[in-house]
Amino acid sequence: MNGNEISEFITVFLMLIGSIISVISAVGIIRFPDVYTRSHAATKSSTLAVLLTLVGAFLYFFITESLVSVRLILGIVFVFLTSPVAGHLIIRAAYRSNVKLADSTVEDELKDALHQKD
Amino acid sequence: MAFQILLNVFLAFCWMFLSNDPSAAGFITGYILGMLSLFFFRRFFTRQFYLWKMFSIIKLFFIFLKELYLANVSVLKTVLSPKLNIRPGIFAFKTELTKDWEITLLSLLITLTPGTLVMDISDDRTILYIHAMDIEDAEKAIFDIRESFEKAIQEVSR
């Protein structure tokens, strides 16, 4: 097993793990009961999935063609910065427009704070 | 911190002009020498020597990667378990951070850590409302993690 094969193995492994994680995050979006728990699955898992896939692509082009693709690095950084903010804004808007929490929800401290203000 | 970096770059340029060597190697030599002289003159700055701050930023980044990994493992476990017995809930978390960028960074980190998602920030920017996926076992462990995040962010901004 020479160096090229090892590097190919690493990139394939990273991309495979990334795609598996994104499949599991999609399953989570189907299985979870309400919009808040769904966004747990959507924000965290898909961020890591995109990260792993992009790192795999970056390493592949770096090793086989010795090309440092700055656009891939920028893509990783931007996904990291934007996807949690998007999740936060979506569930904030959902809560403000009175989307119901799941029945198994035990505690809701935000409700008191919001109603106190009115 | 920005002032010290700027001063270091300026010293590196001075070294390049003095040694008449306008190349990357000359710049790096000058930068290292400038860093040494900044280190020896560190008591004249009001802030900490900036290299330590760089180290704490790198430490924060590694904490972040570790937490992202743990978060995904816990989400995987929850999704793939045959029976969903999660008990979600919203709890309030009082933060000691004051600057806007610190709170943004903290909520970004919280959102990408195991089982927590920032839902709202109170108007006076002291309380974060956090949606937890599993409120019983999460609350204690998550508080510990968040203490470490808050400590690391405070270390950066000090």
Side-chain angles (χ1 to χ4, degrees), chain B residues 57-81:
Chain B
I57 290 173
I58 292 167
K59 204 177 91 188
L60 189 66
F61 181 69
F62 278 106
I63 293 175
F64 170 65
L65 281 188
K66 194 191 93 193
E67 294 299 331
L68 185 69
Y69 167 73
L70 289 178
N72 278 284
V73 170
S74 80
V75 167
L76 286 188
K77 269 187 197 156
T78 319
V79 170
L80 295 179
S81 66

Side-chain angles (χ1 to χ4, degrees), chain B residues 5 30 59 82 89 96 122 136 148 150:
Chain B
I5 293 175
K59 204 177 91 188
E96 288 161 15
S122 65
E136 257 96 46
S148 77
E150 241 185 15

